[in-house]
């Protein structure tokens, strides 16, 4: 899903001072933020836009994405020690879950998240390594304050503290489609296997020419009754004695795979909210106006994802953390503080 596009970026707008001074100040702050955003992800050069894209994709695929606001003495080139990292939802450790009892903050610890008595997260318990790593590692649990973690997910029901993958409503349908594909491939393999049945023949010495029965060197394979099984090859010439006949099987090549696959993918389209043509890449029989009509509700869905969940949950908190760090380092002034992070530029769905 193109929820992020080329990135969701803040527009800084300092309101105090003369217009010329405000414009110069806005340009300077925007240049500082763009420079920090380009290197805020030490693990990858894509920077803030890459963090947003990976977090959104992780949220769609697994239901949850965790972004950690890290602070280090190793300063970035723009002078603030703030860096970002993104983790999958499986990094949450459930070892400290309270299972219905109260924790020390008056709430419960569920799915690796400790809540206080009013239901606000106070700590996240994370594995220090990926539990699904291909290399064996020793796992330890880290207790990370909630103000250093951005938990990106989309709640479907009230009281929901973890997200669900976008494919959750149709996972059983997709599994059945995979089974049907495997069965279709096996059927095609059997259909391509031509078998010859010899009647009125002594199987010991029937074949003459390229296949010599049990007298071949090395001996041919035999069936469960000990009778030799001959083989056929392209361009092979086999002589059959008078009174003997050869009958070939006639496998059926009919299949309803296309109809079944279309039905399954239409169900997947309805379950995910993604238009069928966009989900499958199949535009057979589609017109431009029909495609446009199908994309209108999808564009609205993308807008909801961006405006309701991604911007307030992830982007605004990242911008606020960066501005806070810049203020402590003297890069921005106190009078500018309240204007930061108020406006966000979203280019994720303009082309729809």
């Amino acid at each position: 899903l193109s929820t992020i596009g080329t990135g969701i970026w803040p527009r800084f707008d300092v309101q105090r001072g003369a217009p010329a001074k405000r414009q110069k100040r806005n340009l300077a702050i925007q240049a500082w933020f763009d420079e920090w955003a380009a290197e805020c992800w030490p693990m990858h050069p894509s920077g803030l836009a890459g963090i947003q894209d990976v977090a959104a994709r992780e949220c769609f695929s697994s239901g949850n994405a965790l972004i950690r606001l890290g602070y280090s003495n190793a300063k970035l080139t723009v002078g603030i020690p703030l860096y970002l990292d993104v983790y999958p939802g499986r990094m949450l450790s459930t070892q400290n879950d309270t299972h219905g009892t109260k924790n020390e903050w008056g709430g419960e610890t569920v799915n690796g998240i400790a809540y206080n008595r009013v239901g606000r997260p106070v700590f996240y318990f994370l594995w220090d390594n990926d539990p699904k790593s291909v290399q064996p590692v020793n796992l330890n649990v880290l207790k990370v304050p909630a103000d250093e973690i951005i938990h990106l997910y989309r709640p479907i029901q009230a009281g929901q503290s973890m997200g669900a993958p976008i494919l959750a409503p149709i996972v059983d349908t997709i599994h059945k489609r995979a089974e049907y594909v495997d069965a279709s491939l096996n059927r095609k393999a059997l259909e391509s296997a031509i078998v010859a049945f010899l009647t009125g023949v002594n199987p010991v010495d029937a074949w003459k020419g390229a296949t010599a029965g049990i007298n071949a060197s090395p001996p041919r394979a035999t069936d469960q009754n000990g009778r030799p099984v001959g083989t056929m090859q392209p361009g092979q010439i086999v002589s059959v004695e008078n009174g003997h006949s050869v009958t070939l099987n006639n496998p059926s090549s009919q299949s309803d795979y296309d109809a079944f696959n279309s039905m399954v993918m239409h169900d997947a389209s309805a379950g995910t909210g993604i238009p069928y043509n966009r989900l499958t890449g199949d535009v057979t029989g589609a017109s431009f106006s029909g495609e446009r009509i199908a994309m209108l509700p999808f564009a609205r869905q993308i807008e909801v994802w961006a405006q309701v969940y991604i911007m307030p949950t992830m982007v605004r908190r990242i911008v606020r953390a960066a501005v806070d760090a810049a203020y402590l380092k003297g890069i921005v002034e106190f009078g500018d503080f309240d204007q930061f992070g108020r406006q966000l530029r979203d280019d994720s769905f303009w082309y729809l």
Side-chain angles (χ1 to χ4, degrees):
L1 296 178
S2 301
T3 313
I4 300 299
T6 56
I8 302 177
W9 234 245
R11 289 174 176 170
F12 297 107
D13 187 12
V14 177
Q15 298 294 333
R16 66 188 183 91
K21 183 179 180 180
R22 290 203 308 265
Q23 182 179 8
K24 183 178 180 181
R25 184 66 175 158
N26 289 333
L27 292 176
I29 296 175
Q30 191 71 55
W32 158 79
F33 184 85
D34 292 345
E35 184 180 357
W36 172 82
E39 56 186 16
C40 65
W41 192 12
M43 294 185 61
H44 200 273
S46 57
L48 181 59
I51 282 280
Q52 295 176 1
D53 183 65
V54 171
R57 292 180 183 277
E58 183 66 32
C59 186
F60 295 140
S61 62
S62 66
N64 301 272
L66 303 172
I67 302 173
R68 185 171 184 179
L69 307 174
Y71 299 90
S72 172
N73 293 328
K75 297 181 180 179
L76 301 177
T77 58
V78 292
I80 64 173
L82 175 65
Y83 67 92
L84 307 176
D85 206 352
V86 60
Y87 305 113
R90 62 176 177 269
M91 293 293 288
L92 287 169
S93 170
T94 58
Q95 286 188 354
N96 298 87
D97 286 5
T98 56
H99 303 288
T101 60
K102 299 296 182 180
N103 56 28
E104 57 184 295
W105 302 281
E108 296 184 14
T109 302
V110 183
N111 295 323
I113 306 174
Y115 299 91
N116 60 15
R117 60 183 180 85
V118 297
R120 185 180 298 275
V122 290
F123 282 99
Y124 285 79
F125 296 96
L126 305 179
W127 297 112
D128 59 348
N129 289 288
D130 192 338
K132 291 189 176 182
S133 175
V134 295
Q135 298 180 352
V137 293
N138 295 324
L139 296 177
N140 299 303
V141 178
L142 304 177
K143 184 180 177 182
V144 183
D147 56 1
E148 296 182 9
I149 296 293
I150 299 175
H151 183 192
L152 180 62
Y153 71 99
R154 183 181 185 180
I156 306 299
Q157 298 177 345
Q160 183 176 337
S161 61
M162 299 288 286
I166 193 174
L167 296 179
I170 58 169
V171 63
D172 186 58
T173 302
I174 294 178
H175 179 67
K176 291 180 179 178
R177 177 182 178 272
E179 292 180 342
Y180 187 88
V181 170
D182 292 339
S184 297
L185 293 175
N186 292 333
R187 178 177 179 176
K188 290 299 180 182
L190 294 176
E191 289 176 357
S192 63
I194 301 177
V195 181
F197 302 94
L198 290 101
T199 58
V201 63
N202 182 5
V204 176
D205 55 358
W207 290 101
K208 297 180 180 179
T211 303
I214 61 174
N215 297 322
S217 179
R220 297 292 178 178
T222 58
D223 61 13
Q224 60 182 0
N225 296 321
R227 294 175 297 187
V229 178
T231 60
M232 292 185 295
Q233 299 177 359
Q236 182 180 19
I237 300 176
V238 179
S239 63
V240 180
E241 296 182 358
N242 293 333
H244 303 153
S245 62
V246 179
T247 304
L248 300 179
N249 67 326
N250 185 23
S252 175
S253 60
Q254 297 180 356
S255 174
D256 56 352
Y257 174 79
D258 292 338
F260 177 82
N261 184 67
S262 177
M263 178 191 68
V264 170
M265 297 313 295
H266 275 91
D267 290 344
S269 175
T272 59
I274 303 175
Y276 173 81
N277 296 332
R278 177 61 63 92
L279 181 66
T280 62
D282 181 15
V283 294
T284 304
S287 62
F288 178 81
S289 58
E291 274 284 285
R292 185 75 176 178
I293 293 174
M295 290 300 295
L296 290 178
F298 179 60
R300 188 65 173 173
Q301 181 181 358
I302 294 298
E303 184 180 5
V304 170
W305 264 102
Q307 300 285 346
V308 178
Y309 299 102
I310 293 179
M311 286 187 183
T313 303
M314 177 175 62
V315 182
R316 291 188 186 277
R317 284 195 58 187
I318 292 176
V319 174
R320 176 61 64 185
V323 171
D324 288 347
Y327 171 73
L328 295 176
K329 290 296 181 180
I331 298 176
V332 299
E333 301 175 3
F334 180 77
D336 304 333
F337 189 80
D338 289 338
Q339 303 298 330
F340 298 145
R342 300 297 184 184
Q343 302 179 26
L344 297 176
R345 183 178 72 250
D346 176 23
D347 298 331
S348 61
F349 58 93
W350 63 268
Y351 56 89
L352 296 178

